[in-house]
Amino acid sequence: GWKKDKNGTYFYADNVGMTYFSVNILANSDDIQCMKTASAISESMTEMGMKNTLITCPTQEFNDRILYGNYDMYIDKITLLQNNDLSPLLSSGNKLNFSDEETDILLMQTATVSNPEESKAIYDKLLSRIKEIAPIAPVCFLKESLITSAKLKSGVIPYMPLTVARTENWSVQ
């Protein structure tokens, strides 16, 4: 498994030698909030011993890199509709090039069910599926609520109308 060297940097050793953990983080230079978020994530990863390179580029190049899969990780944002439909983020044919038939079926079911108990059961299945296979680490704000990955919590304060604010205070735990 992954270990830390004497400098605190993660590496994996096998028969061939040592491979250091390294990731390129892509950010849209035209979006100040995404830039701040990407910078904060990059700094946190460095502090944790994870090598990374922050690559910033204008919107067109950013979108082209995503389209062609020219990234390890990218920071972007999407505004969900008031009905909290997750289809723009997770349905087949999205910006992530993520596609999963079971997720598509569950997303369609969430839109058709009105019974709260049935709705909760479908959302539970959907969230379980997303945790299992989706290539995202979402940070979402809904009014005063915060939904995020379990480890990204410190210093995150939702602020409307800016969905992401004060990212310089974020930390990964």
Side-chain angles (χ1 to χ4, degrees):
W2 292 98
K3 299 176 184 172
K4 281 189 172 185
D5 67 10
K6 63 182 178 183
N7 297 319
T9 304
Y10 281 95
F11 72 95
Y12 181 86
D14 58 17
N15 299 353
V16 180
M18 292 187 349
T19 303
Y20 280 87
F21 179 88
S22 179
V23 64
N24 290 324
I25 303 170
L26 180 63
N28 183 342
S29 59
D30 296 330
D31 188 322
I32 191 69
Q33 287 132 351
C34 288
M35 288 287 297
K36 286 182 177 183
T37 301
S39 180
I41 289 170
S42 174
E43 288 173 21
S44 292
M45 289 178 80
T46 299
E47 289 171 11
M48 291 185 291
M50 298 177 180
K51 290 183 178 182
N52 66 85
T53 303
L54 180 56
I55 300 169
T56 61
C57 52
T59 302
Q60 186 59 52
E61 182 182 347
F62 176 80
N63 290 332
D64 288 347
R65 284 174 169 258
I66 292 169
L67 179 66
Y68 296 110
N70 190 4
Y71 62 91
D72 295 322
M73 165 191 222
Y74 74 87
I75 308 302
D76 201 3
K77 66 183 175 189
I78 186 168
T79 302
L80 300 177
L81 301 174
Q82 288 183 342
N83 66 358
N84 297 314
D85 178 12
L86 298 174
S87 298
L89 183 61
L90 296 170
S91 63
S92 294
N94 58 44
K95 189 174 182 175
L96 292 170
N97 295 319
F98 167 74
S99 179
D100 177 65
E101 186 177 350
E102 185 177 336
T103 301
D104 288 342
I105 291 167
L106 289 167
L107 284 167
M108 285 188 283
Q109 289 175 350
T110 63
T112 60
V113 175
S114 59
N115 178 305
E117 289 178 12
E118 289 179 40
S119 181
K120 183 183 179 328
I122 293 170
Y123 271 104
D124 286 346
K125 286 180 188 175
L126 177 62
L127 293 175
S128 177
R129 184 69 178 164
I130 291 168
K131 283 173 144 179
E132 181 183 330
I133 64 159
I136 60 171
V139 177
C140 305
F141 299 98
L142 171 64
K143 297 181 183 170
E144 298 298 318
S145 301
L146 172 66
I147 305 165
T148 181
S149 75
K151 295 186 181 264
L152 183 65
K153 291 190 178 171
S154 177
V156 182
I157 302 168
Y159 172 73
M160 296 303 272
L162 299 174
T163 15
V164 180
R166 296 182 282 283
T167 54
E168 66 277 2
N169 296 324
W170 291 20
S171 68
V172 176
Q173 300 175 342

